[in-house]
Amino acid sequence: MAIQAPEGTRDLLPDEALFWTRFKDTAAEVFGRYGYVLVETPVIEQTELFVRGIGEATDVVSKEMFTAVSGENLKRLLDGGAIKAKSRLSLRPEGTAGVVRAVVQHDLVPQGAAPAKLMYAGPMFRAERPQKGRQRQFNQVGVECLGAEAPSIDAEAIIMLMRFFEKVGIPASSMELLVNSMGCEKCRPAYRDLVRAYMDEHADELCETCMTRAAVNPLRAFDCKNEQCAAVMAGAPKITDHLCDDCREHYAAVRELLDGAGVPYVEEPKLVRGLDYYTRTVFEVQVVDGLGSQNAIGGGGRYDKLAEEVGGRPTPGLGFALGYERCLMALEAAGVELPRAQRCDLFVACVDDSVRASAFGLVQACRDAGIVCEMDHQGRSLKSQFKLADKLGAARVAVLGPDELAEGACTLRDMAAHEEARVKLADVPEEMHRVFL
Ligand code: AMP
């Protein structure tokens, strides 16, 4: 059997690849209005970065990381030897840790500086069990703002995320924005203890995984997909009833700004998101219908302690990431048609082989003039060249035969109007521009 793409990965064939480019361009345009600029960080980082940044006990780090080792180090490991900590590399499971590492490494937010507003786009890798909307390699666009803790940073990021989704064509009515606050290191520990005590009281109704998690991070139980666990956790204490004054004020200010901007949202006190680094604001955008259980198209939150976790000075931060493949699914569910990658303005058809070299010259001249132009390269009959032109969606076909060539001209056919005219070869690019530009 021919070799297939690895499980949980998929090829972006031309139409999707084109849309990925447009998607990134739209993100750069929309997020650029809010001051975000592009950075590119490596797809491999030291494993230690994710362990310290995302948290050793998270699913992403404990179960889902792809480890990368050079051939030499792999041999050492297989021979039972050890390798240096900095040679332990992992494919990035998300973008935030790498960007924060880069900000710290290059001191992009010196004390007193304006916040750094950065965006990125590229593949992420998680060894999850593949299912609809859940891949092992997927593409994300994300932003990170480092160096400001004002609620206006949170609110403007959420607003621009919703603006982006709408601009890319996902109908506002098909999305729901969930928001919550996860508190800070002052108020969360006490809340965590409350949840742990509640879980202990309901130990016999919760699954084993939840109870194991209760010891390390009980909040993770809010994410359990088991229906009975979900029902039990619905009755658990709510974080928003246990925020300290600073966190309560911060959260209220974010919501006020969203209200002022007319961005609808639902408060969801059970929204905890799967990574350890979040503090205060968290949010997620879900598609209401058609995506099944993997219905989150984007999400993020504040991470005021992450820079310190990876060895930098205290630098508050906020970011989000959105999944390209899930957005495609949301567009499909909403019945939005993707633009086609293959475009052809002009097809040059040869009546016989004697005109091939002249046709080749005409095609080049048109391309040099900026026209998307194609010809047959397989010796097809005139009839099947017309079929090919149709398939490519060519708006015009230039027919070149010995008679036309003797006059230094071609017959230019308007495929929609079924009209044709003799046009001098040298005038074809200009004629095409007259029609199309
Ligand atoms: P997260 O980093 O988990 O908050 O993910 C941010 C966004 O990336 C999600 O809302 C999804 O759109 C997308 N995403 C996360 N994990 C996957 C995956 N395994 N396959 C496809 N998309 C994903």
Side-chain angles (χ1 to χ4, degrees), residues 272-296:
V272 292
R273 305 197 29 86
L275 316 177
D276 275 357
Y277 53 57
Y278 288 117
T279 50
R280 294 192 166 168
T281 317
V282 285
F283 51 94
E284 190 162 285
V285 182
Q286 300 184 347
V287 166
V288 195
D289 270 330
L291 258 60
S293 65
Q294 305 301 312
N295 63 348

Side-chain angles (χ1 to χ4, degrees), residues 8-42:
T9 69
R10 60 199 277 272
D11 302 303
L12 291 188
L13 297 176
D15 289 347
E16 285 189 10
L18 172 84
F19 197 64
W20 172 227
T21 305
R22 293 217 179 149
F23 195 82
K24 287 184 284 184
D25 290 349
T26 307
E29 188 208 320
V30 176
F31 302 162
R33 287 185 221 149
Y34 294 74
Y36 284 82
V37 289
L38 193 66
V39 284
E40 296 259 2
T41 62

Side-chain angles (χ1 to χ4, degrees), residues 125-136:
F125 306 84
R126 294 184 196 170
E128 298 187 86
R129 193 171 45 79
Q131 66 178 83
K132 185 173 175 244
R134 195 160 76 181
Q135 295 166 218
R136 296 185 144 195

Side-chain angles (χ1 to χ4, degrees), residues 135-154:
Q135 295 166 218
R136 296 185 144 195
Q137 177 177 339
F138 55 96
N139 291 292
Q140 281 187 343
V141 170
V143 305
E144 314 295 344
C145 176
L146 274 297
E149 61 179 345
S152 47
I153 289 288
D154 310 36

Side-chain angles (χ1 to χ4, degrees), residues 31 81 89 123 134 203 264 369 378 380 393:
F31 302 162
L89 306 173
R134 195 160 76 181
Q378 295 159 304
R380 287 165 201 256

Side-chain angles (χ1 to χ4, degrees), residues 76-288:
R76 246 179 234 140
L77 283 176
L78 291 175
D79 289 344
I83 59 172
K84 291 194 196 104
K86 69 174 191 195
S87 303
R88 290 184 188 277
L89 306 173
S90 289
L91 293 179
R92 62 183 182 191
E94 52 97 65
T96 304
V99 172
V100 172
R101 194 261 315 131
V103 166
V104 170
Q105 183 174 335
H106 304 286
D107 198 18
L108 294 187
V109 197
Q111 219 125 33
K117 289 181 160 184
L118 305 169
M119 64 167 284
Y120 59 86
M124 305 294 156
F125 306 84
R126 294 184 196 170
E128 298 187 86
R129 193 171 45 79
Q131 66 178 83
K132 185 173 175 244
R134 195 160 76 181
Q135 295 166 218
R136 296 185 144 195
Q137 177 177 339
F138 55 96
N139 291 292
Q140 281 187 343
V141 170
V143 305
E144 314 295 344
C145 176
L146 274 297
E149 61 179 345
S152 47
I153 289 288
D154 310 36
E156 70 169 22
I158 295 173
I159 294 167
M160 77 177 191
L161 174 64
M162 300 314 286
R163 297 279 192 271
F164 169 80
F165 284 138
E166 284 166 37
K167 175 111 200 199
V168 102
I170 303 176
S173 59
S174 71
M175 296 182 283
E176 190 166 64
L177 166 65
L178 308 178
V179 298
N180 191 22
S181 173
M182 302 218 15
C184 65
E185 82 275 17
K186 273 194 281 169
C187 49
R188 196 157 49 185
Y191 171 69
R192 205 182 273 149
D193 290 345
L194 275 178
V195 175
R196 192 177 287 125
Y198 173 86
M199 290 175 70
D200 284 342
E201 274 170 39
H202 294 83
D204 50 348
E205 300 159 69
L206 292 167
C207 74
E208 220 173 285
T209 321
C210 280
M211 286 318 290
T212 325
R213 282 172 173 166
V216 193
N217 188 353
L219 304 195
R220 194 85 13 88
F222 286 114
D223 278 339
C224 185
K225 295 278 184 253
N226 180 317
E227 273 177 28
Q228 195 181 333
C229 294
V232 173
M233 293 311 290
K238 294 185 172 41
I239 178 104
T240 33
D241 294 333
H242 300 275
L243 295 175
C244 62
D245 289 348
D246 287 348
C247 287
R248 194 174 322 114
E249 274 169 32
H250 192 276
Y251 185 39
V254 173
R255 282 174 296 152
E256 230 168 79
L257 289 165
L258 292 179
D259 291 335
V263 172
Y265 59 87
V266 176
E267 284 186 72
E268 175 46 277
K270 293 194 297 300
L271 180 71
V272 292
R273 305 197 29 86
L275 316 177
D276 275 357
Y277 53 57
Y278 288 117
T279 50
R280 294 192 166 168
T281 317
V282 285
F283 51 94
E284 190 162 285
V285 182
Q286 300 184 347
V287 166
V288 195

